[in-house]
Amino acid sequence: MTTEAPLVGILMGSQSDWDTMKNAVDTLNKLGIANEANVLSAHRNADRLTEYVKGAKGRGLKVLIAGAGMAAALPGAVAALTPLPVLGIPMETRVMGGIDSLLSMVQMPRGIPVGTLAIGNSGAVNAALMAVAILALSDEKIAAALDKFRAEQSAAVTKLPA
Ligand code: RP5
């Protein structure tokens, strides 16, 4: 993590989401994007969550990423409280494999959008890359870092199976 002011705020509904959400943090760090991560539940910490989200834009955060499982209300609750873009990551769950989280998160009623990514680790990585793409629209250095990441990823794909 850099010492610059964070541009991306990462939220998760529970400590149990961290193994997945860490993928978003790692991806942002790899691309040199200052970020901060917090555990804040829509259900268990409603007041603290409201305070955090309402202050996010004023503190210079540009994108919020929220991961949650089961009822997965967190990204929608966050999106209701801020004009910042909110990306949602449905957690894989024991009972329904994350389909519960996905359907809950993706079915936002019109007017308050959440950009919902794939269930689990892939969604966490892609949420970070989507956040970087949003930041890249107004920052040439970030755009160059994203171009480099994608070029390296392309070059790493082997032509023949080993
Ligand atoms: C959600 O409930 C969290 O995002 C987590 O994925 C799920 C279970 O939470 P714990 O009971 O593990 O704290 O709010």
Side-chain angles (χ1 to χ4, degrees):
M1 198 174 297
T2 69
T3 53
E4 295 161 40
L7 295 173
V8 179
I10 296 170
L11 299 172
M12 63 212 84
S14 169
Q15 176 65 40
S16 63
D17 300 329
W18 175 238
D19 280 354
T20 302
M21 296 305 290
K22 197 174 177 309
N23 289 281
V25 173
D26 290 345
T27 303
L28 290 170
N29 288 345
K30 199 179 293 176
L31 281 137
I33 307 297
N35 63 86
E36 63 181 22
N38 285 283
V39 179
L40 279 173
S41 164
H43 303 109
R44 297 167 180 156
N45 312 118
D47 288 345
R48 263 205 293 138
L49 177 69
T50 302
E51 195 186 330
Y52 175 89
V53 177
K54 287 201 171 231
K57 191 173 177 209
R59 289 197 299 113
L61 291 164
K62 304 284 187 218
V63 184
L64 297 177
I65 295 175
M70 302 177 76
L74 182 64
V78 169
L81 293 167
T82 180
L84 294 175
V86 177
L87 305 175
I89 308 166
M91 293 300 110
E92 199 170 339
T93 54
R94 267 195 308 280
V95 181
M96 293 184 222
I99 292 293
D100 45 351
S101 322
L102 172 67
L103 293 181
S104 175
M105 199 175 283
V106 83
Q107 284 287 54
M108 284 295 289
R110 73 183 72 179
I112 303 292
V114 167
T116 302
L117 284 299
I119 297 169
N121 293 341
S122 295
V125 170
N126 278 347
L129 292 174
M130 184 68 80
V132 177
I134 293 169
L135 296 171
L137 291 172
S138 55
D139 187 312
E140 283 179 14
K141 236 174 94 186
I142 294 176
L146 183 57
D147 285 348
K148 182 168 173 281
F149 172 89
R150 291 179 62 130
E152 285 171 2
Q153 180 172 251
S154 295
V157 177
T158 52
K159 285 191 186 145
L160 298 171

